Amino acid sequence: MKRLLFALLVAVVAGLCVIGGRWWIYVTNTSDPLDEVGIELNSRMPEPLRKWGCARLKANFSAQLPPYGCAATGGTAWE
């Protein structure tokens, strides 16, 4: 039973690292703010992380339309 719980814990931590790493790459090193996976991950992050991610994207792509989750009401302006 201990081994099963340990394996489950390792799987959960690994999953969080993969998802968190993919989100980090999207908001810091992306060449396309309209990456579908990155948009979905960013829109589902907790509010402080989502706002930070949107600020990073806005700093890099302020001339483009904002992705879902970073748009103000109407969808054509950054938050």
Side-chain angles (χ1 to χ4, degrees):
M1 186 64 168
K2 238 180 177 178
R3 286 182 141 182
L4 178 63
L5 289 176
F6 180 73
L8 184 62
L9 178 65
V10 168
V12 167
V13 170
L16 288 174
C17 288
V18 168
I19 291 170
R22 178 64 176 88
W23 171 78
W24 180 267
I25 289 169
Y26 169 66
V27 298
T28 60
N29 299 321
T30 190
S31 60
D32 180 18
L34 301 178
D35 173 50
E36 294 175 10
V37 175
I39 290 172
E40 190 64 31
L41 289 173
N42 193 51
S43 68
R44 296 187 184 273
M45 285 292 157
E47 188 71 17
L49 290 176
R50 188 186 62 76
K51 286 190 179 246
W52 180 84
C54 288
R56 293 288 305 221
L57 289 168
K58 183 179 180 183
N60 292 330
F61 303 105
S62 60
Q64 296 182 9
L65 287 174
Y68 174 76
C70 295
T73 305
T76 59
W78 291 87
E79 283 187 327

